[in-house]
Amino acid sequence: MTISFVLVIVMAVLFACGVYAMLERSLTRVLIGFLLLGNAANLLLLIVMGAPGRAPFYDGGETDAADMSDALPQALTLTAIVITFGISAFLLALIYRSWQLGQADTVIDDADDVALRARTANEPEDAMDEESRSDDDDVTTDFVGDVASPIRVLHQGDLSSLVDDAPVDRVAVRRDDRDDDRSDPQDGDRS
């Protein structure tokens, strides 16, 4: 068995365990499953990278391009690590908040989920598709050819109760001629 075949088997096991753990109702198991999936994705990128080579730095043209390692899988792995960390932090916050509110991290069904499950069990599969079809095919949402515009911008003169309190840039106030004649004591020009 070669090293890459062992890595492929380990990656497949990590993917399978991660998907299995994410299908549970416990948020902690979902987090563990997501971490397993993240590590499996990093391992996949490591396998795809191929044989190790020299660093792709400029060395005066001595290294052939075929002997250099590809930097793209390394960049993708670093990006995958950062994304996995961010989503894991978000899931940890969800788990903590769920524990604070309900003393459990298990996701429970709400009334809409139970009603939908009961509805789909009693009805044939095509019944939901028939409800989504529209009987009126003439109804359009575009306003092409209409005289009126669908959006009208209201101004203060249109409605008396409309108050325009948005901040505006102030116009610079000109000084009176009297103010120009007086010298400013901070200018250093004292009369």
Side-chain angles (χ1 to χ4, degrees):
M1 242 194 296
T2 62
I3 294 176
S4 62
F5 185 69
V6 172
L7 289 178
V8 169
I9 291 175
V10 170
M11 179 201 62
V13 168
L14 284 175
F15 268 121
C17 292
V19 169
Y20 179 76
M22 286 185 77
L23 293 176
E24 297 290 326
R25 287 197 171 264
S26 171
L27 290 176
T28 305
R29 291 186 184 184
V30 170
L31 174 66
I32 291 170
F34 183 76
L35 290 173
L36 288 173
L37 280 178
N39 287 328
N42 292 337
L43 196 55
L44 172 68
L45 291 170
L46 182 69
I47 294 169
V48 169
M49 188 169 39
R54 292 187 145 192
F57 296 128
Y58 180 74
D59 61 350
E62 295 175 13
T63 305
D64 187 25
D67 295 334
M68 292 182 188
S69 64
D70 189 11
L72 181 64
Q74 297 171 13
L76 290 175
T77 303
L78 183 61
T79 304
I81 290 170
V82 171
I83 291 171
T84 303
F85 175 75
I87 294 177
S88 299
F90 177 70
L91 282 172
L92 277 173
L94 282 178
I95 292 168
Y96 178 72
R97 185 67 178 157
S98 175
W99 185 260
Q100 273 186 333
L101 294 176
Q103 296 298 320
D105 68 340
T106 305
V107 178
I108 58 173
D109 287 337
D110 58 352
D112 293 332
D113 290 337
V114 173
L116 183 64
R117 189 177 304 125
R119 177 180 171 195
T120 57
N122 296 334
E123 294 180 7
E125 291 183 20
D126 296 335
M128 292 183 72
D129 292 336
E130 291 173 6
E131 287 180 8
S132 65
R133 293 186 189 123
S134 174
D135 294 334
D136 189 12
D137 293 334
D138 295 335
V139 176
T140 59
T141 57
D142 54 346
F143 295 95
V144 177
D146 285 349
V147 177
S149 174
I151 299 174
R152 181 171 178 218
V153 178
L154 296 177
H155 298 286
Q156 196 168 5
D158 295 334
L159 296 172
S160 60
S161 63
L162 185 64
V163 177
D164 188 14
D165 59 349
V168 295
D169 292 334
R170 301 284 179 208
V171 178
V173 179
R174 292 181 50 186
R175 291 190 193 180
D176 293 333
D177 291 334
R178 295 174 302 181
D179 292 339
D180 289 337
D181 292 337
R182 287 185 285 162
S183 61
D184 194 9
Q186 293 179 353
D187 289 341
D189 185 24
R190 295 194 177 153
S191 327

